[in-house]
């Protein structure tokens, strides 16, 4: 059983930066994969970035070179550093964790990029 809570969303100007955080809690913290999804109004939820305990990372083409996903030493926290933000990045961002055959979601945090 895993619970996820996101934070760090907000309003930022184009070209600005924002850092999202997600903390996992529960009985077992051995989570294989943590990552970030986002969903804009009228669009399907998409995978933005992922990070496995094996050290592999994934980035959507639209964010490569701008976003960086990382985890702390205990793997309880996952972060998404977002630089050079664009209006197209505006969405609700969701933390995701995969443990064994189970999939867990946070409640989401709003990111708005606007001048």
């Amino acid at each position: 059983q895993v619970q996820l809570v996101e934070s760090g969303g907000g309003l930022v100007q184009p070209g600005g930066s924002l850092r999202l955080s997600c903390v996992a809690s529960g009985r077992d913290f051995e989570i294989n994969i943590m990552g970030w999804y986002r969903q804009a109004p009228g669009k399907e939820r998409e995978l933005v970035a992922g990070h496995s305990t094996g050290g592999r990372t994934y980035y959507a083409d639209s964010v490569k070179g701008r976003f960086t996903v990382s985890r702390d030493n205990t793997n309880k926290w996952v972060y998404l550093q977002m630089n050079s933000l664009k209006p197209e990045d505006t969405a609700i961002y969701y933390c995701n964790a995969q443990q064994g055959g189970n999939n867990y979601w946070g409640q989401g945090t709003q990111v708005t990029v606007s001048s």
Side-chain angles (χ1 to χ4, degrees):
Q1 185 68 42
V2 176
Q3 295 81 44
L4 303 174
V5 179
E6 306 100 330
S7 63
L11 175 64
V12 65
Q13 292 183 321
S17 297
L18 209 58
R19 181 178 172 88
L20 304 183
S21 300
C22 174
V23 60
S25 63
R27 179 176 176 83
D28 194 335
F29 300 109
E30 294 186 17
I31 301 171
N32 293 326
I33 300 173
M34 296 188 73
W36 294 91
Y37 288 71
R38 68 185 181 187
Q39 187 168 24
K43 295 184 178 180
E44 188 175 344
R45 186 175 298 186
E46 64 174 341
L47 175 62
V48 177
H51 191 292
S52 72
T53 55
R56 298 181 63 183
T57 59
Y58 167 85
Y59 297 96
D61 288 341
S62 60
V63 306
K64 285 182 178 178
R66 299 188 298 119
F67 290 11
T68 303
V69 63
S70 60
R71 297 170 73 173
D72 78 324
N73 292 334
T74 67
N75 288 319
K76 292 182 179 180
W77 293 82
V78 62
Y79 307 93
L80 186 66
Q81 178 66 46
M82 304 183 293
N83 298 325
S84 301
L85 283 162
K86 304 175 180 180
E88 65 192 69
D89 296 317
T90 296
I92 300 176
Y93 284 71
Y94 296 90
C95 181
N96 170 261
Q98 298 174 39
Q99 183 185 46
N102 298 315
N103 198 36
Y104 303 92
W105 296 93
Q107 294 183 352
T109 183
Q110 177 70 48
V111 172
T112 302
V113 185
S114 176
S115 60

